[in-house]
Amino acid sequence: MKANEESAFRAEVAQWLAENLAGEFACLKHRGGPGDEEAFPELRKAWERRLAEGGWTGLGWPRAHGGRELPVMQQVIFHEEYARAGGPGRMGHIGEGLIGPTLIAFGTEDQKARLLPGIRNGTTFWCQGYSEPGAGSDLANVRTRAVRDAASGDWLVSGQKVWTSLAHDSDWIFVLARCEPGSRGSKGLIFLMLPLDQPGIEIRPIRQMGGGAEFNEVFFDGARAAAADVLGEPGDGWRIAMALLGFERGISTLGQQMQFTHELEWVAQAARDNGSSRDALVRQRIARAWAGLRVMRANALRMLAGAAQAGQDGRDADLALQREALIYKYYWSNWHRDLGQLALDVLGPLANVLDAGEGGEGGDVRRTRLQQMALFSRADTIYAGTNEIQLNIIAERGLGMPREARGQS
Ligand SMILES: Cc1cc2nc3c(=O)[nH]c(=O)nc-3n(C[C@H](O)[C@H](O)[C@H](O)COP(=O)(O)OP(=O)(O)OC[C@H]3O[C@@H](n4cnc5c(N)ncnc54)[C@H](O)[C@@H]3O)c2cc1C
């Protein structure tokens, strides 16, 4: 794509956002997303519909499934401009970024026809039911059971999921469950999709240290998944579940970095305002954070270019197999956690004082957001693969070191 086409596209996105992230949606700027998911959920769902009407969902999806099939660079530009404009945390990201691409890759024609339009139109919201009390890093240890109902052919699900982000704001859940009694590890699993609004499903919020409850425990007691809502074959759920995780480190990472840029600017501004920028150590830490952000961006572009090239060469653009991608999660999550600590140090004693206006009118929005960021960034090195798991992956896949002993999988 030529540079002038890219800048024209960039201007188009920026203009659309300036015109639409206004009026009733203006209050959504810089709201939502990890640590702030409870902000305006219904209005953010309406925003998803506005995005869809504007043609800004399913950017990378094939045209045959209602997407725009945009080249990687245009998708990157959209996410960068979205974050630059302060676009709100996306309520639809699990649908659009995770289950959508998985349905496109593995779904039946019937599943695609029934389930993709709601995701693309911003009318159906999804959550991810993988983790259980005894199955997090060792996901293959899932114990939730799926039993076939002989009369209807449906699957009856019983068990418990945990840390299910946004389940309380979702319509559907996808779960990994054990469908072959006595099976162990990654064998005998099934990937099921279930509507959440049904008897046999109970969602209980988990309160976080930041005060919000963005994730949940989800209990299943004979909940029903239609026979037509198995993704892949019964027994082959692990392969589908892993393929879905491969979509996790996608193009939106560059938008995430733009959000980090805002946060770093807020930290720097707070340091200027309260005079802590006169402290040489604070200045060094801010400069180091800035350098880290540049490294992150260079690595992300290298990773995405590799994926795009693989796609052009007709190879599977599987980001997970690239060495650059192996570093990515470990690098950004630790960088962000350090930024959270830096924010608290810069804010000093005020870091411990909750803003009475909760960032609302007359309140200190920047301080509230930095507090939320500092608290939530502690989770960054846990979800989507903990630090230790990421280091194991780098050692084993990136450096060819001996594989760590696995439990039952
Ligand atoms: C904010 C947030 C949102 C989340 N959202 C979802 C969601 O929507 N859906 C969902 O299914 N899950 C979700 N999760 C769960 C997440 O996937 C798990 O927390 C994660 O996989 C870790 O599992 P665990 O919490 O059971 O910890 P464990 O796996 O029990 O790990 C505990 C500690 O042991 C270490 N450890 C474990 N195994 C090894 C090993 N082999 N080698 C070295 N060290 C090891 C870990 O690094 C960690 O320090 C979310 C988590 C968070 C924090």
Side-chain angles (χ1 to χ4, degrees):
M1 193 183 190
K2 295 199 191 82
N4 57 346
E5 285 171 1
E6 282 181 10
S7 51
F9 182 74
R10 195 177 282 283
E12 181 193 339
V13 177
Q15 188 183 343
W16 188 89
L17 286 165
E19 285 167 3
N20 287 273
L21 196 49
E24 60 171 327
F25 295 121
C27 63
L28 295 184
K29 276 192 191 168
H30 296 292
R31 299 305 306 266
D36 192 34
E37 293 288 12
E38 285 178 307
F40 309 107
E42 290 311 315
L43 191 59
R44 280 162 58 216
K45 286 183 179 177
W47 171 246
E48 293 286 327
R49 294 193 287 281
R50 174 68 68 88
L51 281 172
E53 285 155 20
W56 300 114
T57 55
L59 299 185
W61 288 17
R63 283 203 190 88
H65 300 302
R68 288 183 62 182
E69 234 173 280
L70 291 184
V72 167
M73 204 50 217
Q74 286 195 351
Q75 296 178 55
V76 166
I77 289 170
F78 171 78
H79 287 291
E80 285 191 335
E81 288 307 311
Y82 186 86
R84 195 193 307 277
R90 297 287 306 276
M91 293 291 283
H93 72 282
I94 294 178
E96 187 178 335
L98 295 181
I99 190 70
T102 312
L103 274 165
I104 290 169
F106 300 101
T108 62
E109 290 311 313
D110 162 66
Q111 287 170 342
K112 290 187 232 184
R114 276 190 297 118
L115 301 172
L116 289 176
I119 298 174
R120 191 187 22 102
N121 298 336
T123 50
T124 312
F125 295 90
W126 286 77
C127 61
Q128 176 180 21
Y130 276 15
S131 304
E132 298 182 6
S137 303
D138 187 11
L139 181 61
N141 203 29
V142 292
R143 294 213 167 91
T144 293
R145 296 178 314 283
V147 178
R148 189 115 205 214
D149 174 19
S152 61
D154 293 348
W155 292 87
L156 302 178
V157 179
S158 299
Q160 183 196 345
K161 297 291 175 181
V162 71
W163 317 125
T164 319
S165 300
L166 295 174
H168 54 295
D169 278 319
S170 299
D171 306 295
W172 282 70
I173 185 169
F174 52 88
V175 301
L176 191 59
R178 198 160 290 285
C179 63
E180 292 173 12
S183 63
R184 288 157 69 98
S186 58
K187 309 272 187 320
L189 298 173
I190 187 167
F191 190 107
L192 290 168
M193 301 176 286
L194 295 81
L196 280 163
D197 186 12
Q198 61 163 304
I201 296 188
E202 190 191 343
I203 300 170
R204 292 188 203 157
I206 301 175
R207 186 75 40 201
Q208 293 155 246
M209 66 177 173
E214 304 183 353
F215 47 33
N216 305 270
E217 295 175 291
V218 182
F219 294 87
F220 298 87
D221 184 9
R224 198 169 279 271
D229 289 335
V230 182
L231 191 49
E233 296 298 319
D236 197 25
W238 185 253
R239 189 170 67 94
I240 310 292
M242 290 302 104
L244 180 139
L245 292 183
F247 294 114
E248 206 159 25
R249 273 167 296 197
I251 285 155
S252 60
T253 50
L254 282 161
Q256 178 194 40
Q257 285 175 30
M258 189 61 76
Q259 178 58 29
F260 292 170
T261 308
H262 289 309
E263 291 169 356
L264 179 55
E265 278 167 8
W266 295 339
V267 172
Q269 192 55 47
R272 283 188 211 102
D273 289 351
N274 70 10
S276 59
S277 57
R278 284 196 291 276
D279 181 331
L281 280 178
V282 166
R283 284 200 306 274
Q284 279 181 14
R285 286 169 70 190
I286 290 175
R288 212 177 292 137
W290 186 85
L293 204 46
R294 295 294 164 292
V295 170
M296 211 187 299
R297 182 176 162 79
N299 191 53
L301 285 173
R302 196 169 60 144
M303 176 173 97
L304 294 170
Q309 189 59 47
Q312 275 172 20
D313 298 349
R315 287 179 284 132
D316 184 359
D318 183 354
L319 299 178
L321 293 179
Q322 293 176 58
R323 287 163 67 119
E324 294 84 357
L326 297 183
I327 312 166
Y328 194 70
K329 163 69 191 2
Y330 182 77
Y331 192 84
W332 78 253
S333 56
N334 287 277
W335 180 93
H336 200 224
R337 200 179 61 177
D338 290 349
L339 184 72
Q341 189 56 51
L342 177 58
L344 296 184
D345 294 344
V346 163
L347 290 173
L350 269 184
N352 295 319
V353 181
L354 198 61
D355 179 47
E358 291 184 334
E361 211 173 322
D364 184 346
V365 180
R366 193 177 63 209
R367 188 171 92 223
T368 304
R369 294 298 280 135
L370 287 180
Q371 288 169 330
Q372 284 168 327
M373 183 272 284
L375 290 175
F376 194 87
S377 65
R378 295 280 152 178
D380 289 338
T381 53
I382 299 174
Y383 69 86
T386 67
N387 260 355
E388 290 73 21
I389 294 301
Q390 295 298 331
L391 289 174
N392 281 347
I393 293 172
I394 292 170
E396 293 172 13
R397 287 200 231 154
L399 302 173
M401 294 198 175
R403 263 172 73 87
E404 122 128 353
R406 299 284 192 278
Q408 302 174 331
S409 43

